[in-house]
Amino acid sequence: MTRDLDQAFAALADPTRRTILTMLLEDDMAVTDVAEPFEMSLAAISKHLGVLTAAGLISQEKRGRVKWCKLEPDALRAASVWMQGFGQFEPVNLDAFERFLATELPEESA
């Protein structure tokens, strides 16, 4: 379970990945549609999608020639339950949690 939580929080640490998850709340999306609003290459978006997939937050499937992304709604359950144990994170506000971590953890070197 610790590894799953680590992967979930690592995936959620990036604002681009959080935006992608928000986009997928509406419906499944083709990878090219996911990439459209971002000013980055399709390869960069694919890397973000790979991180989200590895964390189990989304799934990807090929339909014909198009790769589709789907939100896995139960994937955040363990992380949500873990954070609710601290009380101050209820309801879960991941942006506030990210700001907290940014102040507590040393900045990673690029």
Side-chain angles (χ1 to χ4, degrees), residues 4-95:
D4 293 341
L5 281 176
D6 291 348
Q7 283 189 302
F9 285 123
L12 293 170
D14 186 275
T16 299
R17 292 192 285 268
R18 289 193 308 275
T19 300
I20 291 170
L21 291 175
T22 301
M23 292 166 57
L24 292 172
L25 279 171
E26 298 295 320
D27 201 2
D28 299 358
M29 296 179 75
V31 170
T32 53
D33 293 334
V34 171
E36 187 177 316
F38 298 100
E39 293 183 14
M40 61 180 72
S41 69
L42 189 56
I45 288 296
S46 291
K47 286 184 181 183
H48 284 294
L49 294 174
V51 171
L52 291 169
T53 301
L57 301 177
I58 68 168
S59 58
Q60 297 183 63
E61 71 173 310
K62 200 150 190 177
R63 299 180 196 161
R65 297 174 65 167
V66 178
K67 196 173 216 181
W68 287 80
C69 302
K70 176 184 176 186
L71 184 67
E72 293 299 330
D74 292 333
L76 286 175
R77 182 165 296 159
S80 179
V81 167
W82 182 83
M83 287 192 302
Q84 286 175 7
F86 291 96
Q88 74 252 27
F89 294 113
E90 200 171 337
V92 176
N93 182 331
L94 295 177
D95 288 329

